[in-house]
Structure formats: structure tokens, C-alpha cells
């Protein structure tokens, strides 16, 4: 059974997906609506990565408080 990834790993993967999506942005004669939709999608994916990173920070802080390190 595979190990459960940390929020940090999930955030890294998600940001990678956002970058790939934005790098695949079409160029040339493309409808502005498509550009806006792709940019909005990339922004939404990046927002998910931020939430995952914040969850990782929370887990690290919780563990430090539990151990009395903070």
C-alpha cells in the first residue's frame, strides 16, 4: 500500500499541474474567452495548492505545539 502524501507533496503536485496548464496556453488567434477560462482555471488550481500548503503549515505547527517545541 502506498504512503499517504503530505499536504506539502500535494501542494507541489498541484502547483506543477497549474504550471503545466498555464504553459499550455494557446497563442496566436485565440478567443479571449478561452484565454480567460484557462487563466481562471490555473488560478483556481493554484489556490487549491495554497490551501494545501496552509494545511501543511498547520500540521507542522500542531505537532510542534504537541511536543512543546513552540
Amino acid at each position: 500500500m502506498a504512503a499517504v502524501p503530505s499536504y506539502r507533496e500535494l501542494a507541489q503536485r498541484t502547483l506543477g499541474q497549474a504550471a503545466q496548464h498555464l504553459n499550455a496556453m494557446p497563442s496566436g488567434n485565440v478567443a479571449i474567452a478561452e484565454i480567460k477560462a484557462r487563466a481562471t482555471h490555473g488560478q483556481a488550481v493554484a489556490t487549491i495548492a495554497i490551501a494545501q500548503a496552509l494545511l501543511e503549515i498547520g500540521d507542522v505547527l500542531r505537532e510542534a505545539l504537541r511536543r512543546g517545541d513552540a
Side-chain angles (χ1 to χ4, degrees):
M1 188 161 115
V4 176
S6 69
Y7 287 120
R8 175 181 289 186
E9 293 167 333
L10 290 173
Q12 289 171 338
R13 288 184 206 165
T14 305
L15 280 176
Q17 291 172 358
Q20 287 175 353
H21 188 76
L22 291 175
N23 287 335
M25 188 77 70
S27 61
N29 191 12
V30 180
I32 190 71
E34 182 175 352
I35 298 294
K36 285 182 179 180
R38 287 176 180 257
T40 300
H41 181 264
Q43 187 176 24
V45 172
T47 301
I48 292 167
I50 290 168
Q52 291 166 331
L54 290 172
L55 288 168
E56 173 72 13
I57 291 167
D59 285 353
V60 169
L61 290 174
R62 185 181 308 110
E63 181 62 24
L65 287 171
R66 188 185 66 75
R67 289 191 321 253
D69 293 345

